[in-house]
Amino acid sequence: MKWMQEQKKHENLTYLALWGMLFAVPVLSLYVRSINDTSFSFQWNEVLMIWRRFAIYLAIFLLHNFLLAPLLVYKQRRALYFSIIAVILGAFIAYQCSNRPPERRAFHHDPPPFEQMDQSHRQRPPMPQEFKNHRPHRPPVMVGQHDVVALIILILMLGMNIGIKLYFKSRHDAKQLMALEKENLEQQLEYLRYQINPHFFMNTLNNIHALVDIDPEKAKETILELSKMMRFVLYEGDKKGVTLSREFDFIRHYVTLMQLRYTEKVDVKVDLPTEVPDYELPPLMLITFIENAFKHGISYEQDSFIHIKASINNACLHFECSNSKAQKSNQEKGGVGLANVKQRLNLLYGENYTLNIQDEPDSYNVKLEIPLT
């Protein structure tokens, strides 16, 4: 993927910047020293000598970065990785010991060669016995302080390489996880949309079927209202967001269609703002509550009511839907209902919404608050 290549590019640029600064340090150091001290002259030989030592670390770094570190970071082959690292560290110590810089002598001034001594020096009195026996005694050193420091630097360099690779790997894993979660979220939302539309039209067609024999003229009006709603569902239902005005128009068409089926005993009140800001919300989000109210709140034997209200305050939609509860609700089997809309709200808003449902013995009240974009 493109972002994976970009991440690899950023990792390599990080290494290039670090090594570039490291190789620039001796040049800048000698240059500053030559400016501050007029008796000192800039010598490229000293820079090249330091660079030769850096080159050893660079060669080990390249071997570790491209061949060894992936064994540990990506392939989790720890035994093979640490075995090879142990061999490399041993070889590095051996190289350091064989190329150790010469140690300083015990005395600040070496005595002149015997051939260059004058006669007086050759015939000077012998040294006392205690001074002859007083010689600096140093045990043979296999690994000196210089070698230990070089080894520590090498280990820190390899650890830094592992740390940087783990950092970029964690970023890669996080982005990949986000991509998978986003893809899963879109698939779930798409699945829920496909559930809503057939469920909604199934109920609406049932209403039209009931009106055909009772009142053909009302059935024709219902078909016209249904065509307007189908246009909305076909062209707006698959979008991530629709304007509030179009969503409210859809609700009005739906309520008008449902009122054609019921008598005046049903008190239906719709209070939706006619002029709304240019905000958007997910399509077909509110209709589920209204559809649920008509399914469970309408009774042919007693007075019923459905009250729908919406308002916008501080970029937040406040929606209320209240309905009476019928003794025998006309609920059809197979409806997706509130479980569907709750799942959509959780997927879209997480914890940034409020849904309060009060299920009373004689009424059902829904209050929803969601942020608008």
Side-chain angles (χ1 to χ4, degrees):
M1 296 176 67
K2 184 177 180 180
W3 55 272
M4 294 176 59
Q5 297 176 354
E6 288 291 330
Q7 185 166 276
K8 192 66 177 178
K9 179 181 178 181
H10 292 163
E11 181 183 352
N12 293 332
L13 288 176
T14 302
Y15 298 140
L16 182 62
L18 292 175
W19 281 104
M21 289 188 294
L22 183 63
F23 275 83
V25 166
V27 178
L28 296 176
S29 177
L30 293 178
Y31 177 73
V32 171
R33 183 179 175 186
S34 64
I35 292 177
N36 296 332
D37 189 0
T38 56
S39 62
F40 178 80
S41 60
F42 186 91
Q43 298 290 334
W44 276 104
N45 292 335
E46 298 184 14
V47 176
L48 294 178
M49 181 182 65
I50 299 174
W51 280 1
R52 279 195 294 270
R53 293 188 176 276
F54 286 175
I56 299 173
Y57 291 99
L58 178 59
I60 298 176
F61 171 81
L62 294 176
L63 174 65
H64 182 266
N65 181 66
F66 293 104
L67 296 179
L68 302 182
L71 293 176
L72 179 64
V73 176
Y74 300 111
K75 299 181 180 180
Q76 302 297 320
R77 302 183 65 178
R78 295 181 177 87
L80 178 61
Y81 171 79
F82 286 108
S83 299
I84 298 176
I85 288 298
V87 173
I88 292 177
L89 295 179
F92 179 78
I93 294 175
Y95 173 82
Q96 287 293 119
C97 294
S98 62
N99 292 272
R100 184 182 302 145
E103 298 181 358
R104 295 182 179 179
R105 297 178 181 273
F107 301 95
H108 292 287
H109 300 286
D110 293 339
F114 182 78
E115 291 77 12
Q116 296 180 3
M117 293 183 181
D118 54 13
Q119 191 68 23
S120 61
H121 286 95
R122 294 179 185 179
Q123 297 178 359
R124 65 185 177 182
M127 296 178 62
Q129 187 65 27
E130 61 269 20
F131 288 100
K132 290 182 180 180
N133 297 331
H134 183 70
R135 295 179 179 177
H137 177 71
R138 294 184 179 180
V141 179
M142 295 300 295
V143 179
Q145 181 179 1
H146 174 79
D147 305 322
V148 174
V149 172
L151 181 63
I152 293 175
I153 294 175
L154 178 62
I155 294 175
L156 291 177
M157 181 192 70
L158 300 182
M160 176 205 68
N161 187 204
I162 291 293
I164 293 177
K165 278 198 173 295
L166 287 174
Y167 168 73
F168 281 99
K169 182 179 182 296
S170 64
R171 289 186 57 185
H172 168 268
D173 294 342
K175 289 185 177 180
Q176 190 174 25
L177 180 61
M178 289 177 61
L180 290 175
E181 289 179 349
K182 182 179 179 181
E183 182 179 356
N184 184 48
L185 174 63
E186 292 177 351
Q187 290 178 352
Q188 291 185 56
L189 290 175
E190 192 68 22
Y191 172 73
L192 292 175
R193 290 194 193 103
Y194 287 141
Q195 277 189 310
I196 289 174
N197 295 349
H199 175 76
F200 169 75
F201 282 110
M202 178 182 66
N203 293 333
T204 306
L205 290 175
N206 287 337
N207 295 339
I208 296 175
H209 179 267
L211 284 173
V212 168
D213 295 331
I214 299 173
D215 192 339
E217 291 299 325
K218 283 188 177 181
K220 293 179 181 179
E221 295 178 11
T222 303
I223 293 174
L224 291 177
E225 294 293 333
L226 179 60
S227 66
K228 297 177 183 178
M229 291 163 37
M230 288 183 62
R231 187 177 297 108
F232 176 87
V233 173
L234 290 174
Y235 294 104
E236 307 290 344
D238 59 346
K239 295 181 179 179
K240 293 183 178 180
V242 294
T243 60
L244 285 174
S245 59
R246 295 186 66 83
E247 183 76 11
F248 289 164
D249 287 340
F250 179 79
I251 292 174
R252 293 187 185 97
H253 291 314
Y254 177 82
V255 173
T256 301
L257 185 150
M258 298 301 291
Q259 282 181 305
L260 295 175
R261 181 178 178 182
Y262 301 111
T263 64
E264 295 179 354
K265 288 185 178 182
V266 180
D267 178 24
V268 179
K269 293 181 180 179
V270 180
D271 183 10
L272 301 177
T274 55
E275 296 183 2
V276 294
D278 192 17
Y279 288 122
E280 291 187 351
L281 78 162
L284 303 173
M285 178 65 72
L286 306 178
I287 197 65
T288 305
F289 298 106
I290 302 172
E291 184 182 17
N292 188 69
F294 277 99
K295 282 166 40 180
H296 300 280
I298 301 300
S299 173
Y300 295 101
E301 300 176 355
Q302 61 187 25
D303 293 339
S304 307
F305 72 90
I306 295 176
H307 296 165
I308 303 167
K309 182 180 179 180
S311 61
I312 298 96
N313 293 316
N314 299 324
C316 183
L317 173 64
H318 301 267
F319 174 80
E320 298 181 16
C321 183
S322 302
N323 61 272
S324 56
K325 292 180 67 174
Q327 294 180 356
K328 294 182 179 180
S329 62
N330 51 341
Q331 179 182 8
E332 297 86 354
K333 295 182 180 181
V336 291
L338 292 177
N340 187 303
V341 71
K342 288 180 180 179
Q343 188 175 359
R344 289 187 72 196
L345 288 169
N346 289 329
L347 291 173
L348 290 170
Y349 298 103
E351 298 181 355
N352 297 325
Y353 78 96
T354 302
L355 178 61
N356 184 15
I357 298 178
Q358 297 178 350
D359 191 357
E360 303 293 341
D362 57 350
S363 65
Y364 193 86
N365 305 299
V366 175
K367 292 183 178 180
L368 173 66
E369 296 182 6
I370 56 175
L372 297 173
T373 59

